[in-house]
Amino acid sequence: MNFFENFWDIFWWFFTIYAFFGYMYALFAIIGDIFRDHALNGWLKAIWLFALVFIPFLTVLVYLIARGNGMTQRSMENARQRQAAGEAYIRSVATSGPTSSPSDEISKAKALLDDGTITATEFAAIKAKVAV
């Protein structure tokens, strides 16, 4: 066997695997977009899915050409909604934390001082911070 014959076999194998995973990614992105699109009724969704099963490669190309811009817009809107939900969750968690009184904070700091975890200067800094 010649090195270049093996090289092109390996190259072709990698290209085939890359194309297969690229196709699978596009297929699942399209299926997700079909179900995310509220403008399509159930029959049109069924027709697209039927075509994806029985004429897969051609249907993927037609879908990307015909509905690619809408797919991008729906994906961006979904990302915006997820980001807003994440930020709202972070705000709710950050503001609804347990509130403790200054005396509770000072007693916790005193316990840390007694255990030797913090120094007297750190204890005084915590007291001054809580008192403000």
Side-chain angles (χ1 to χ4, degrees), residues 44-64:
L44 288 174
K45 289 178 183 182
I47 290 170
W48 276 113
L49 289 175
F50 182 82
L52 280 170
V53 170
F54 291 106
I55 316 169
F57 188 71
L58 182 63
T59 306
V60 167
L61 289 176
V62 169
Y63 191 89
L64 290 175

Side-chain angles (χ1 to χ4, degrees), residues 109 113 117-129:
L113 177 65
T117 307
I118 61 174
T119 63
T121 56
E122 291 172 326
F123 175 70
I126 292 172
K127 253 173 54 172
K129 182 178 163 187

Side-chain angles (χ1 to χ4, degrees), residues 13-122:
W13 183 81
F14 275 113
F15 178 77
T16 305
I17 296 298
Y18 177 76
F20 175 74
F21 281 112
Y23 172 74
M24 294 304 289
Y25 178 80
L27 181 69
F28 287 113
I30 289 171
I31 291 172
D33 185 63
I34 287 172
F35 286 107
R36 189 180 302 124
D37 187 7
H38 299 294
L40 284 178
N41 65 20
W43 286 106
L44 288 174
K45 289 178 183 182
I47 290 170
W48 276 113
L49 289 175
F50 182 82
L52 280 170
V53 170
F54 291 106
I55 316 169
F57 188 71
L58 182 63
T59 306
V60 167
L61 289 176
V62 169
Y63 191 89
L64 290 175
I65 291 168
R67 298 181 49 88
N69 287 337
M71 189 174 177
T72 303
Q73 291 169 352
R74 283 184 292 279
S75 178
M76 288 175 56
E77 181 60 32
N78 189 17
R80 272 190 230 106
Q81 289 174 353
R82 283 184 304 194
Q83 183 178 8
E87 289 173 356
Y89 173 74
I90 290 170
R91 268 189 244 101
S92 72
V93 170
T95 59
S96 68
T99 57
S100 58
S101 67
S103 61
D104 290 338
E105 293 294 323
I106 293 172
S107 64
K108 288 178 190 175
K110 178 65 173 150
L112 290 173
L113 177 65
D114 293 341
D115 291 338
T117 307
I118 61 174
T119 63
T121 56
E122 291 172 326

